[in-house]
């Protein structure tokens, strides 16, 4: 036995005997060493290292010194007593302490023995290892922790987690927080770096489930929230990082794992088979599970502590701000260029981030509807007040909003913004920067694929084995892979359901804030909290709510844009999940769309309201052009309490995209009109909606001279304008197509250089696309006019409208059945959607619908440009050939009536041919019947002429000053003078005859 003089530890033996120490046997069982050389336990014997004793109780200090000496052993095998176990021989300090901690816990649980003293010693030494790792060099505690994390994948065994937390808490107790965090980072940053390197090598299929299990150690327990802070600090790049630099973080490396390539210029890994409608349920399951795992990690960071919540929201806000360039128009077009790829995050990263955020928004959705706690003034907070008010999004105040505020005006803001508000706006911003560019890219690649397939078909017919054909085939394969990858990412069912519920909640919130009563708003002013709080679900009583709260100047356009984009892309994807969309969402979308679509008092931007019309088309039960979906069950057009507002709302947006100051590009205007036509055609199948059209027509006739022309009058005026433009464009393009086709067929192209031949082919394809577009929209326009005139007649025959209506129909008919019709006879009319036979039948229906009105018959006969006595003879011969024989009787009767009235009119015109200049309308040079004086130019014109002009241009045509119908003054004296002159002419004619 070692003497006290020889070993200073021996002095501690006496202390153990005289006080409550630690049982020697417990030390052997837990720490797996003994100080008794006579012990039979299969442990290490440290009697020669510390002190030899056979005492049953050891002092705490002696055990502490012995444990420290045990940890400092570089080699353990020489101290093995008997058959010492591998656990007893463990040389790695942290792994050994974790084992001791686990054994201590088991003994305490099973035998109800107090192990607190020995447990404290274990944690003290573990803390020392963490704070002073150099003492134990060359051991790597980071590597030891990593090994423990990887081995412990049993969710029922919490010993590693508990040890990790208790050690961390001990470190935090013993030193200042900043020093403790620094010590922890020194150990765990290398662990996280190694983990990130491993993640970078994985894809959606090879992703290891233990990655998230390991990361979970840092965020599972609020007792050691500092670990979450460490994790978010590690994954946070510098404050000025670009979007692409966020991909290089730990969280970013997880977000990059998707069906899509990790980087924007990366290789597509999936869907190498040539099948354009392919979906992959297995990939969907993997993607959904991966997104759910990232969501749970981020959620834990948010709930762990106020500090981790703040830093996580800052990470999200900074990341979104760094990726703002993705939302710019050029970005979706140039997404694969080096500059864009190196400045912003990839589609994979951003769509996964949206999936995470939209899951965080689940409590905002039905049935909880915490969305009603979202404050609409969030985007009014200037940068200087951001931190004080709890706004994590950078530059939120620069968002384009539904209504504009006067320059210099300070917008309303709340006292403070809650988490619900933050996550709502962040999710919308993320969708805007991720899914919308992705949708645009999908549409663009799909169009490129169609063009490539067309080119491939042409090349294969002439030279199937050429290099060009092989290259085009490779392009087709690559483009199909892109299309399927984007499509399957956007259409993953679980994420889509989260998005659907989120947008339903957004629609409810938009409706509630737009319809908030004035008295409730005034209460909000007092509280400085503008969230709607309650679901009032008020009925729409007018086009625009009676009170529009000033905070609508702070609601971003992107919320409505996102909602519209989500519903619109649902039509383009082969997503059967949309068929069974639950009905509460129908109602929420329908009400919000009707409210905002038709009201410029709520949405200034006509483009945005037109997009809502596209979104409304999604709710049509009928099949939508370009959609793969089957029958869609929806009852909103039959049962929704606000359904009768839809016609007026539609006409409002239809007219608004044409009005002065709200004009849009011509082609874009017709793209907006297409879904509106589809909706109106559907509404025409519902008697109560037809009655809404008729009521608006009656209202228009009663207010023809109103300050603002009635909505229905402007609507039919635009229909006629559109029809004329579209037919003109179509016929012009078809004539050029025929010339090019003839030149190609005659072999004229064969003699041209290759570049010129290619130019002609490109020109032919471009003209074909334009003609097809014009014919589709033109057909819809004519069909709508046919439907309208079947029930509404008098307004089309009003003196301000009837001449244009008649001239349009005559012009169409002459071009389609007259002597020049052969100019438009192209090969394969179906390719260009050109169906002249059907158009002739539709036009004939319109003639017959209006034939009972004499003013219309007279207007048809007066049209000097296209009408002749042979016009309807041409039409009859064509109708016989195209199967329109049932219309011939009515058309013949109409032709006789028109000819008779034309003859009468001709006599009248000859009688009045020498009318004085001052009796003629200065714009169209016809005899005035109701002269009026324009207030600013003082020019006298006919009432019908100026009324027609003001439908599309509310200015005086002679000096461009603003003008409305209520400002014109009847020139009664001139009117009586003209009437007297006409009567005199008639009397003279009668006396002569």
């Amino acid at each position: 036995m070692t003497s006290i003089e020889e070993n200073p530890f021996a002095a501690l033996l006496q202390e153990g005997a005289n006080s409550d120490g630690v049982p020697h046997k417990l030390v052997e069982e837990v720490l797996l060493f003994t100080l008794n050389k006579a012990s039979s336990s299969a442990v290490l014997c440290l009697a020669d290292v510390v002190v030899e004793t056979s005492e049953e109780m050891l002092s705490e200090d002696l055990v502490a010194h012995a444990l420290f000496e045990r940890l400092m052993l570089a080699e353990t095998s020489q101290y093995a007593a008997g058959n010492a176990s591998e656990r007893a021989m463990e040389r790695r300090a942290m792994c050994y302490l974790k084992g001791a901690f686990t054994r201590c816990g088991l003994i305490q649980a099973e035998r109800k023995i107090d192990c607190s003293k020995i447990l404290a010693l274990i944690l003290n030494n573990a803390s020392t290892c963490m704070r002073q790792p150099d003492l134990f060099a060359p051991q790597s505690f980071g590597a030891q922790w990593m090994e423990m994390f990887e081995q412990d994948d049993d969710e029922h065994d919490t010993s590693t987690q508990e040890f990790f937390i208790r050690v961390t808490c001990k470190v935090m107790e013993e030193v200042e927080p900043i020093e403790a965090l620094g010590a922890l980072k020194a150990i765990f940053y290398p662990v996280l770096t190694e983990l990130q390197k491993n993640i970078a090598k994985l894809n959606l299929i090879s992703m290891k489930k233990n990655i998230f299990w390991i990361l979970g150690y840092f965020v599972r327990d609020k007792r050691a929230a500092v670990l979450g802070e460490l994790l978010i600090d590690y994954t946070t790049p510098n404050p000025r990082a670009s979007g692409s630099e966020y991909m290089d973080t730990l969280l970013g490396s997880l977000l990059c794992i998707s069906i899509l390539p990790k980087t924007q210029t990366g290789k597509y890994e999936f869907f190498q088979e040539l099948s354009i409608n392919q979906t992959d349920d297995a990939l969907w399951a993997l993607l959904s599970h991966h997104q759910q795992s990232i969501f749970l990690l981020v959620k834990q960071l948010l709930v762990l502590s106020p500090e981790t919540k703040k830093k996580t929201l800052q990470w999200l806000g900074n990341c979104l701000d760094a990726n703002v360039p993705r939302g710019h128009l050029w970005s979706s077009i140039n997404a694969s260029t080096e500059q864009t790829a190196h400045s912003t995050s990839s589609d994979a990263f951003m769509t996964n981030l949206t999936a995470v955020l939209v899951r965080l928004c689940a409590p905002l959705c039905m049935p909880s509807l915490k969305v009603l706690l979202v404050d609409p003034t969030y985007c009014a907070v200037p940068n200087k007040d951001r931190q004080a008010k709890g706004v994590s999004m950078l530059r939120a105040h620069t968002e384009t909003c539904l209504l504009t505020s006067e320059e210099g005006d300070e917008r309303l803001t709340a006292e403070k913004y809650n988490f619900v508000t933050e996550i709502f706006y962040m999710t919308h911003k993320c969708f805007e920067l991720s899914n919308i560019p992705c949708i645009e890219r999908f549409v663009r690649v799909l169009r490129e694929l169609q063009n490539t397939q067309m080119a491939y078909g042409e090349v294969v017919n002439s030279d199937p084995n050429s290099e060009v054909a092989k290259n085009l085939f490779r392009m087709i394969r690559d483009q199909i892979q892109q299309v399927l990858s984007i499509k399957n990412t956007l259409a993953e069912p679980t994420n889509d359901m989260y998005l659907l519920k989120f947008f339903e909640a957004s629609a409810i919130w938009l409706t509630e804030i737009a319809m908030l009563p004035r008295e409730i708003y005034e209460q909000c002013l007092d509280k400085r909290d503008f969230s709607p709080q309650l679901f009032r679900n008020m009925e729409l009583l007018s086009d625009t709510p009676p009170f529009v709260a000033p905070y609508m100047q702070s609601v971003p356009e992107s919320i409505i844009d996102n909602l519209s984009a989500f519903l619109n892309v649902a039509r383009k994807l082969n997503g059967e999940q949309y068929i069974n969309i639950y009905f509460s969402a129908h109602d929420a979308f329908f009400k919000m769309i009707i409210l905002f679509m038709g009201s410029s008092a709520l949405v200034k931007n006509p483009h945005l309201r037109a997009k809502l019309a596209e979104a409304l088309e999604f709710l049509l039960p009928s099949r939508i052009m370009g959609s793969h979906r089957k029958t869609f069950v929806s009852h909103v057009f039959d049962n929704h309490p606000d359904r009768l507002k839809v016609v007026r709302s539609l006409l409002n947006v239809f007219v608004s995209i044409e009005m002065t100051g709200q004009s849009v590009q011509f082609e874009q205007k017709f793209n907006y009109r297409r879904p509106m036509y589809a909706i109106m055609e559907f509404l025409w199948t519902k008697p109560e909606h037809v009655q809404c059209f008729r009521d608006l027509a009656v209202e228009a006739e009663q207010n023809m001279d109103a300050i603002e022309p009635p909505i229905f009058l402007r609507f039919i005026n635009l229909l006629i304008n559109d029809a004329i433009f579209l037919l003109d464009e179509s016929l012009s393009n078809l004539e050029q197509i025929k010339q090019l086709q003839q030149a190609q067929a005659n072999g004229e192209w064969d003699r041209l250089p290759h570049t010129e031949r290619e130019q002609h082919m490109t020109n032919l394809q471009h003209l074909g696309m334009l003609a097809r577009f014009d014919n589709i929209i033109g057909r819809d326009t004519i069909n709508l006019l046919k439907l309208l005139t079947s029930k509404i007649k008098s307004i089309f025959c009003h003196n301000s409208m009837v001449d244009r209506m008649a001239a349009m129909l005559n012009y169409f008919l002459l071009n389609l059945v007259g002597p020049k019709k052969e100019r438009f006879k192209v090969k394969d009319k179906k390719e260009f959607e050109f169906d002249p036979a059907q158009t002739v039948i539709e036009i004939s229906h319109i003639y017959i619908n209006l034939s009972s009105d004499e003013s219309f018959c007279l207007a048809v006969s007066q049209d000097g440009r296209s009408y002749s006595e042979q016009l309807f003879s041409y039409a009859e011969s064509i109708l016989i050939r195209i199967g329109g024989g049932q219309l011939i009787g009515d058309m013949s009767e109409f032709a006789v009536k028109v000819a008779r009235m034309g003859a009468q009119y001709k006599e009248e015109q000859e009688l009045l041919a020498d009318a004085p200049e001052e009796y003629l309308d200065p714009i169209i040079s016809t005899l005035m019947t109701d002269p009026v004086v324009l207030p600013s130019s003082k020019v006298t014109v006919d009432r019908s002429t100026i009324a027609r002009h003001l439908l599309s241009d509310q200015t005086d045509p002679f000096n461009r000053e603003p003008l409305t119908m209520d400002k014109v003054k009847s020139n009664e004296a001139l009117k009586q003078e003209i009437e007297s002159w006409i009567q005199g002419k008639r009397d003279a004619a009668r006396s002569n005859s």
Side-chain angles (χ1 to χ4, degrees):
M1 182 174 175
T2 308
S3 68
I4 292 175
E5 291 79 13
E6 293 173 347
N7 191 333
F9 292 133
L12 298 171
L13 293 174
Q14 190 67 30
E15 185 182 328
N18 298 332
S19 63
D20 293 333
V22 181
H24 203 152
K25 188 68 177 172
L26 188 62
V27 170
E28 291 179 0
E29 289 185 74
V30 173
L31 300 178
L32 301 182
F33 67 76
T34 182
L35 301 180
N36 184 1
K37 287 186 176 180
S39 172
S40 60
S41 301
V43 294
L44 299 188
C45 181
L46 301 185
D48 293 336
V49 177
V50 185
V51 66
E52 183 183 352
T53 178
S54 57
E55 296 287 342
E56 291 184 5
M57 298 296 291
L58 303 176
S59 74
E60 284 183 58
D61 285 348
L62 179 60
V63 177
H65 284 295
L67 178 56
F68 183 75
E69 289 296 327
R70 163 68 181 84
L71 295 174
M72 296 298 290
L73 293 177
E75 184 57 58
T76 56
S77 57
Q78 68 189 75
Y79 301 102
N83 295 320
S85 65
E86 283 189 23
R87 291 182 300 168
M89 305 269 285
E90 178 62 71
R91 286 180 295 176
R92 295 166 302 173
M94 198 60 70
C95 295
Y96 165 75
L97 289 170
K98 187 265 174 180
F101 177 85
T102 303
R103 291 187 291 276
C104 189
L106 288 172
I107 290 169
Q108 192 164 284
E110 290 172 5
R111 303 189 210 163
K112 310 299 180 190
I113 297 173
D114 181 11
C115 299
S116 58
K117 292 177 182 177
I118 203 165
L119 187 62
L121 292 173
I122 293 168
L123 294 175
N124 283 338
N125 280 274
S127 173
T128 302
C129 293
M130 298 292 284
R131 290 182 290 105
Q132 297 176 285
D134 293 346
L135 287 175
F136 304 90
Q139 292 195 46
S140 168
F141 293 126
Q144 291 175 32
W145 279 113
M146 182 62 125
E147 185 175 325
M148 287 186 275
F149 293 156
E150 287 178 335
Q151 287 174 350
D152 181 27
D153 58 358
D154 182 359
E155 61 185 67
H156 300 294
D157 179 8
T158 59
S159 59
T160 303
Q161 177 74 52
E162 186 63 21
F163 179 61
F164 187 41
I165 298 304
R166 296 284 290 274
V167 171
T168 301
C169 290
K170 192 64 181 173
V171 172
M172 295 301 294
E173 285 173 20
E174 294 186 345
V175 291
E176 291 295 317
I178 294 177
E179 187 183 338
L181 184 60
L184 293 169
K185 286 181 177 179
I187 299 293
F188 291 116
Y189 270 23
V191 173
L192 296 173
T193 300
E194 193 60 34
L195 196 64
Q196 187 176 336
K197 286 179 183 175
N198 291 339
I199 294 168
K201 300 171 187 173
L202 304 173
N203 67 10
L204 201 55
I205 293 174
S206 61
M207 182 67 188
K208 297 173 183 174
K209 66 177 183 180
N210 74 334
I211 297 286
F212 288 104
W213 178 257
I214 293 169
L215 290 172
Y217 281 106
F218 293 85
V219 295
R220 285 193 197 108
D221 203 307
K222 291 185 179 182
R223 290 173 295 169
V226 67
L227 292 170
E229 195 178 333
L230 178 151
L231 180 60
I232 193 66
D233 284 350
Y234 176 77
T235 199
T236 299
N238 74 73
R240 295 185 180 179
S242 66
S244 59
E245 287 175 280
Y246 275 85
M247 295 164 61
D248 299 329
T249 65
L250 175 58
L251 185 55
S253 64
L254 291 169
L255 288 166
C256 286
I257 294 176
S258 170
I259 293 172
L260 295 169
K262 290 183 179 182
T263 63
Q264 210 58 40
T265 54
K267 191 176 185 307
Y268 286 82
E269 297 181 78
F270 307 107
F271 302 108
Q272 295 178 359
E273 300 297 322
L274 294 177
S275 168
I276 196 63
N277 291 319
Q278 184 181 346
T279 59
D280 191 322
D281 291 348
L283 270 183
W284 273 351
L286 289 170
L287 180 61
S288 177
H289 181 267
H290 184 66
Q291 290 171 343
Q292 182 70 10
S293 300
I294 304 173
F295 153 68
L296 291 172
L297 178 65
V298 173
K299 181 185 175 185
Q300 283 300 116
L301 283 168
L302 288 167
V303 301
L304 198 60
S305 73
E307 191 63 24
T308 57
K309 178 180 178 180
K310 176 185 170 185
K311 288 186 174 183
T312 304
L313 287 172
Q314 283 176 348
W315 192 97
L316 292 169
N318 291 344
C319 176
L320 292 173
D321 186 64
N323 281 292
V324 163
R326 279 181 57 91
H328 298 160
L329 186 62
W330 56 266
S331 180
S332 61
I333 300 168
N334 301 308
S336 298
T337 64
E338 287 296 310
Q339 183 183 359
T340 311
H342 286 95
S343 65
T344 61
S345 300
S346 64
D347 286 346
F349 176 103
M350 292 301 294
T351 50
N352 276 337
L353 185 58
T354 298
V356 169
L357 291 176
V358 82
R359 282 165 168 79
L360 288 171
C361 287
L364 279 67
C365 307
M366 288 288 235
S368 308
L369 270 189
K370 287 188 178 178
V371 73
L372 297 171
L373 301 177
V374 171
D375 195 299
T377 64
Y378 183 83
C379 290
V381 179
N383 204 46
K384 61 183 176 64
D385 299 335
R386 221 169 40 79
Q387 291 188 341
K389 289 182 179 287
V391 173
S392 301
M393 271 181 66
L394 281 69
R395 295 186 284 182
H397 65 287
T398 63
E399 291 286 322
T400 304
C401 295
L402 298 181
L403 299 177
T404 53
S405 55
E406 293 296 322
E407 195 171 340
D409 283 2
E410 193 169 323
R411 292 182 287 176
L412 291 166
T413 56
E415 196 69 37
K416 197 88 174 172
Y417 294 93
N418 56 29
F419 173 74
V420 168
T421 299
E422 285 251 82
I423 207 67
F424 175 82
Y425 282 96
M426 282 185 175
T427 304
H428 270 292
K429 189 64 183 176
C430 195
F431 186 90
E432 176 195 346
L433 299 177
S434 62
N435 291 48
I436 288 186
C438 214
I439 290 165
E440 289 172 356
R441 198 137 37 246
F442 171 73
V443 172
R444 179 173 55 81
V445 176
L446 195 59
R447 193 181 303 124
E448 287 173 0
L449 172 62
Q450 290 164 350
N451 292 339
T452 310
Q453 286 173 326
M454 193 183 303
Y456 178 71
E458 291 170 1
V459 171
V460 163
N461 287 337
S462 57
D463 189 0
N465 297 316
S466 67
E467 277 302 309
V468 175
K470 291 174 184 175
N471 289 335
L472 285 171
F473 183 77
R474 279 194 289 269
M475 282 177 66
I476 288 172
R477 189 179 58 206
D478 292 344
Q479 287 168 346
I480 286 178
Q481 192 177 12
Q482 278 191 60
V483 166
L484 289 174
S485 297
I486 299 172
K487 177 180 174 182
N488 276 268
T489 303
L490 292 175
E492 192 281 307
T494 307
N495 195 49
D496 268 342
M497 187 51 70
Y498 277 112
L499 281 169
L500 172 67
K501 291 183 177 181
F502 173 68
F503 284 119
E504 177 197 14
S506 300
I508 290 170
W509 178 79
L510 282 166
T511 306
E512 290 297 322
I513 62 168
M515 298 187 68
L516 196 76
R518 183 187 292 272
E519 59 273 17
I520 305 296
Y521 167 75
E522 287 168 356
Q523 294 171 20
C524 293
L525 268 178
D526 295 336
K527 294 184 294 182
R528 305 299 292 175
D529 179 357
F530 300 92
S531 58
Q533 303 283 330
L534 300 174
F535 183 34
R536 295 174 178 85
N537 200 21
M538 298 167 68
E539 187 182 350
L540 303 180
L541 298 174
S542 59
D543 297 351
T544 298
F547 169 70
V548 177
Y551 56 55
M552 296 303 290
Q553 297 172 354
S554 304
V555 178
E557 284 188 353
S558 58
I559 295 179
I560 289 180
D561 207 7
N562 290 343
L563 194 151
S564 302
F566 173 73
L567 291 179
N568 289 336
V569 78
R571 298 201 311 271
K572 296 182 175 73
L573 300 178
N574 186 15
E576 294 296 315
Q577 64 266 30
Y578 293 106
I579 295 170
N580 300 313
I581 180 176
Y582 59 104
F583 290 125
S584 71
H586 291 202
D587 292 340
F589 291 141
F590 187 73
K591 184 171 185 175
M592 187 281 290
I593 290 169
I594 291 175
L595 176 60
F596 284 86
M597 180 175 67
S599 175
S600 58
L602 289 173
V603 182
K604 192 75 174 171
N605 184 349
H607 293 267
L608 199 56
R609 282 183 280 134
K611 287 180 182 178
L612 283 172
E614 288 185 85
L616 183 62
E617 188 189 14
F618 170 79
L619 292 170
L620 292 183
S622 52
R623 188 178 181 277
I624 293 170
M625 186 176 70
S627 165
H628 297 284
R629 78 179 188 196
K630 299 170 186 173
T631 308
F632 182 81
V633 179
S634 178
H635 303 296
V636 287
F637 293 98
D638 296 317
N639 300 336
H640 196 283
D642 300 308
R643 66 190 178 281
L644 298 184
K645 304 287 189 303
V646 71
V647 172
R648 184 182 287 273
S649 186
L650 262 179
L651 299 198
N652 272 324
V653 71
F654 190 98
V655 168
S656 73
I657 58 175
E658 183 76 28
M659 292 303 293
T660 305
Q662 296 190 327
S663 60
V664 297
Q665 287 186 356
F666 218 83
E667 187 175 337
Q668 184 63 65
K669 178 182 78 173
F670 287 113
N671 279 326
Y672 288 152
R673 295 267 170 91
R674 187 201 55 74
M676 296 182 205
Y677 288 141
I679 297 165
M680 289 183 203
E681 286 178 27
F682 170 74
L683 291 174
W684 204 259
T685 65
K686 308 286 181 183
E688 62 179 351
H689 291 296
V690 173
Q691 189 57 46
C692 290
F693 280 103
R694 297 177 76 169
D695 292 343
L696 287 170
V698 171
E699 180 188 308
E701 287 188 80
Q702 293 170 349
N703 295 278
M704 296 297 273
D705 293 338
I707 296 175
E708 187 173 330
I711 188 72
F712 193 81
L713 185 64
R714 286 186 290 165
F715 166 61
I716 60 173
N717 181 62
L718 290 177
L719 278 183
I720 294 170
N721 286 349
D722 291 353
I724 293 169
F725 172 82
L726 289 164
L727 184 75
D728 265 343
E729 285 290 299
S730 169
L731 295 180
S732 170
N733 289 327
L734 288 168
E735 192 170 2
Q736 293 179 67
I737 288 168
K738 183 180 181 181
Q739 291 169 1
L740 286 168
Q741 286 179 339
Q742 282 181 336
Q744 187 181 25
N746 294 340
E748 293 174 28
W749 287 16
D750 299 338
R751 296 189 292 273
L752 296 172
H754 177 70
T755 51
E756 278 191 50
R757 223 170 31 245
E758 280 194 341
Q759 182 60 46
H760 280 310
M761 180 59 73
T762 303
N763 195 24
L764 182 59
Q765 289 174 353
H766 179 67
L767 286 169
M769 183 185 71
L770 291 177
R772 186 174 183 276
F773 174 82
D774 291 336
N775 285 326
I776 290 171
I777 305 296
R779 185 177 62 216
D780 288 344
T781 308
I782 292 295
N783 181 54
L784 187 56
L785 282 168
K786 181 195 79 172
L787 295 176
L788 290 169
T789 54
S790 68
K791 299 291 184 185
I792 301 166
K793 304 180 191 304
S794 58
I795 194 165
F796 287 99
C797 302
H798 188 274
N799 61 4
S800 64
M801 192 60 64
V802 68
D803 290 340
R804 294 185 65 244
M805 187 73 180
M808 175 195 76
L809 294 171
N810 290 347
Y811 177 64
F812 283 6
L813 197 63
L814 179 62
N815 277 287
L816 296 173
V817 303
K820 297 180 180 178
K821 64 180 183 294
E822 294 299 320
R823 289 187 303 167
F824 318 115
K825 196 170 183 179
V826 294
K827 292 178 187 173
D828 193 5
K829 294 175 189 173
K830 285 184 180 179
E831 181 186 343
F832 309 112
E833 296 285 344
F834 182 47
D835 190 354
Q838 185 59 35
T839 305
V840 169
I841 289 173
E842 302 271 300
I843 290 171
S844 300
H845 275 294
I846 298 172
Y847 276 124
I848 293 165
N849 288 342
L850 300 177
S851 62
S852 59
D853 192 290
E854 292 198 352
S855 61
F856 174 70
C857 298
L858 180 61
V860 170
S861 71
Q862 289 179 34
D863 171 29
R865 180 187 181 193
S866 305
Y867 175 73
S868 68
E869 290 184 2
Q870 294 80 34
L871 179 62
F872 294 111
S873 301
Y874 296 145
E876 284 181 25
S877 61
I878 295 291
L879 284 170
I880 292 168
R881 292 211 310 268
I882 63 176
Q886 73 277 13
L887 297 172
I888 291 175
D890 289 335
M891 283 294 285
S892 298
E893 189 179 317
F894 173 65
V896 170
K897 188 175 180 181
V898 168
R900 186 181 69 248
M901 297 195 75
Q904 293 171 357
Y905 176 74
K906 187 177 180 181
E907 288 180 20
E908 182 91 355
Q909 286 299 97
E910 289 172 356
L911 183 67
L912 306 176
D914 59 343
E917 185 72 24
E918 62 269 23
Y919 292 177
L920 300 180
D921 182 285
I923 295 177
I924 58 174
S925 298
T926 57
L927 188 65
M928 293 185 284
T929 56
D930 188 1
V932 293
V933 179
L934 307 184
S936 58
S937 63
K938 306 302 180 186
V939 176
T940 298
V941 296
D942 195 71
R943 184 181 295 274
S944 63
T945 304
I946 195 61
R948 190 160 56 244
H949 167 79
L950 292 178
L951 283 174
S952 52
D953 185 357
Q954 292 191 308
T955 61
D956 185 321
F958 297 98
N959 61 11
R960 312 308 297 164
E961 290 292 319
L963 178 64
T964 53
M965 274 304 290
D966 65 309
K967 297 290 193 300
V968 303
K969 302 293 181 186
S970 291
N971 191 338
E972 290 296 336
L974 182 59
K975 183 178 181 181
Q976 289 177 11
E977 191 178 323
I978 293 171
E979 287 174 351
S980 298
W981 181 81
I982 292 172
Q983 191 60 45
K985 284 285 187 179
R986 284 172 178 162
D987 291 344
R990 273 196 296 271
S991 63
N992 288 339
S993 65

